[in-house]
Amino acid sequence: MSPVLPQRPRRLRQSPAVRRLVAEHRLHPADLVLPVFVREGIDEPQPIEAMPGVVQHTVESLVAEARRCVDAGLGGIMLFGVPLEKDATGSGADAEDGILNVALRAVRDAVGEDLVVMADLCLDEFTDHGHCGVLDDEGRVDNDATLERYAAMGLAQARAGAHVLGLSGMMDGQVGFVREALDEAGFTDTILLAYAAKYTSALYGPFREAVQSSLVGDRATYQQDPANARESLRELELDLAEGADIVMVKPAQPHLDVIAMAAEVSPVPVAAYQISGEYAQIKAAAERGWIDGDRAVMESLMHIRRAGAQMILTYSALDVAPHL
């Protein structure tokens, strides 16, 4: 005789069709943004060893990749520049002929309004010391002097056609300073994506290969300490008060709790960045046959979505889009 069980949760798991019907969260290609690297001075795409399947693009191959993003229905593309020459102030970041601004113009010309074109607004790829800002006489990152450089960089990216500027440097006051500069120059429609909670992490390692970073040491004096969660809410509130249109948590998987906290209180969309080390971990384990890589990627993205992220930056965007 079967027991009388008035509650049988398994009823709603009995088939793929039922599970699909009652799913609380879904992923769509439009939720995803593909981060890409464009490198100056190369004739063909260069593989990034620590990120299998990811390359440093030429401008031409980047434009083709952007068109693939449109065809796949992705929400956006985020550009990072890799210049030939670097200096102490990252002068290539706001140069009209700088690799990032050249690539932004080319991509925007190619995709128009069919794809949201985003630009990384940070100096680390362009400085010879690898930090996200300019340094003072004692070798410390000068917050207020860096804001001036961010404003110049933001104006250059807006002129180049970026729809969204991703302020990733974690300088105090960066959102308000760049917003004011943009508005004064007439770029009132340019969207600001604030990296409101960007934590210091060993998982950035593959990214630093991708952008050929010159960094020695770490960025612990401006990126957040992984031990702290409440601090993220303070950063979030400050960025919102300064005019952030979207806020982001980075890295994503290690900070699902922070994504959930941000989603609970934020009146603007919340994004999350599945960073290079998160991507590389899955790829490395899958290459060794230890896990099902495709399934692991899908699970990881659903975890981020379930935590509250409305959009996800992931290097897997084009790979997973056909399956969503």
Side-chain angles (χ1 to χ4, degrees):
M1 179 177 176
S2 298
V4 177
L5 297 177
Q7 299 293 333
R8 290 183 180 269
R10 287 184 58 191
R11 291 189 190 111
L12 298 182
R13 305 175 198 145
Q14 62 182 274
S15 71
V18 172
R19 292 193 295 272
R20 185 169 61 247
L21 177 67
V22 301
E24 297 176 27
H25 299 87
R26 304 180 195 278
L27 284 168
H28 188 277
D31 300 330
L32 305 179
V33 175
L34 180 70
V36 291
F37 305 99
V38 57
R39 178 177 166 186
E40 188 175 18
I42 59 173
D43 297 322
E44 59 185 24
Q46 300 296 308
I48 300 167
E49 184 178 359
M51 301 175 69
V54 180
V55 302
Q56 296 169 323
H57 283 282
T58 66
V59 173
E60 292 76 18
S61 70
L62 176 61
V63 167
E65 190 84 329
R67 290 190 170 120
R68 283 192 287 273
C69 291
V70 173
D71 293 340
L74 296 191
I77 188 169
M78 171 70 84
L79 277 61
F80 295 85
V82 185
L84 271 176
E85 298 181 0
K86 306 179 182 183
D87 57 35
T89 62
S91 60
D94 58 322
E96 185 176 354
D97 60 351
I99 183 60
L100 182 53
N101 297 320
V102 168
L104 284 169
R105 284 193 293 273
V107 170
R108 180 63 190 276
D109 286 347
V111 302
E113 301 300 326
D114 294 333
L115 184 71
V116 178
V117 178
M118 304 182 178
D120 178 58
L121 201 166
C122 195
L123 292 173
D124 59 313
E125 298 103 302
F126 299 92
T127 55
D128 55 12
H129 46 74
H131 277 289
C132 297
V134 296
L135 305 183
D136 64 16
D137 293 340
E138 298 182 19
R140 302 170 302 186
V141 175
D142 186 326
N143 189 96
D144 295 359
T146 297
L147 296 182
E148 298 285 353
R149 295 293 299 124
Y150 284 2
M153 190 175 183
L155 289 171
Q157 292 176 346
R159 294 187 185 107
H163 295 104
V164 178
L165 309 185
L167 290 94
S168 62
M170 289 298 289
M171 295 296 120
D172 294 341
Q174 62 183 14
V175 173
F177 202 88
V178 173
R179 180 77 273 163
E180 183 177 359
L182 291 170
D183 288 354
E184 288 180 353
F187 293 107
T188 56
D189 288 338
T190 302
I191 298 166
L192 294 188
L193 165 61
Y195 287 52
K198 183 178 181 181
Y199 284 89
T200 184
S201 175
L203 295 174
Y204 294 124
F207 175 91
R208 290 173 185 166
E209 177 193 337
V211 298
Q212 300 178 330
S213 174
S214 305
L215 181 68
V216 176
D218 59 38
R219 297 172 177 146
T221 65
Y222 44 101
Q223 293 179 353
Q224 287 180 237
D225 184 341
N228 298 339
R230 286 193 303 271
E231 182 181 24
S232 294
L233 294 180
R234 183 186 184 197
E235 292 279 6
L236 175 72
E237 291 169 357
L238 289 169
D239 285 348
L240 290 171
E242 292 173 23
D245 300 295
I246 305 168
V247 293
M248 186 153 73
V249 177
K250 179 181 180 181
Q253 197 80 30
H255 302 293
L256 296 178
D257 60 328
V258 177
I259 296 172
M261 288 192 302
E264 186 173 348
V265 301
S266 176
V268 303
V270 174
Y273 197 143
Q274 186 180 54
I275 68 170
S276 59
E278 297 174 71
Y279 172 89
Q281 286 175 328
I282 293 174
K283 284 289 188 180
E287 285 182 353
R288 288 160 177 77
W290 294 343
I291 62 172
D292 180 333
D294 292 340
R295 184 176 174 184
V297 168
M298 294 295 288
E299 287 180 14
S300 68
L301 295 175
M302 185 57 75
H303 298 162
I304 298 165
R305 184 75 177 89
R306 193 185 69 212
Q310 292 175 245
M311 62 194 77
I312 304 171
L313 281 74
T314 173
Y315 299 98
S316 299
L318 280 175
D319 294 333
V320 304
H323 306 292
L324 300 180

